[in-house]
Amino acid sequence: MIKFKVKAEMKGADKKLSKYHQAAQPIFSSEVLKDSNYYAPQHTGNLIASSQRSSDFERGKLVWDTEYAQRLYYNPQYNFSKDKNPNARGLWFEAAKSSFSGRWKKTLEALKKRYI
């Protein structure tokens, strides 16, 4: 099982910030999961399905809970099949963070403008 905690940035306890956080966290978590799954191995689809089923978007908790998720994630040297996902690799969250963190920041900024 692989777990990550992603948090939309929130400072202070102001009502506007609280409203922003409540709106931004599930959207941000969903974006991060989608982008991470862009790089996740996809032999049968169970790994990606487990992340959609087991993650808690409101709390920013992303989980891939198949019995082999941890083995695949932490062994990027595996020869991942590219048949169903040509982007498949280990450390898929790290790959997504490297590729998409700029867009993630823009998403949070846009949400900030809407709620604050």
Side-chain angles (χ1 to χ4, degrees), residues 68-79:
Y68 49 85
Q70 191 170 9
R71 182 179 63 236
L72 293 178
Y73 188 81
Y74 289 109
N75 288 288
Q77 74 278 5
Y78 281 170
N79 186 18

Side-chain angles (χ1 to χ4, degrees), residues 5 8 10 20 23 29 34 40 44 62 84-85 87 94 111:
K5 188 91 168 168
M10 182 176 140
Y20 157 71
S29 298
K34 176 182 64 79
T44 63
L62 305 182
K84 294 187 180 176
N85 182 0
N87 304 301
E94 297 300 325
L111 287 166

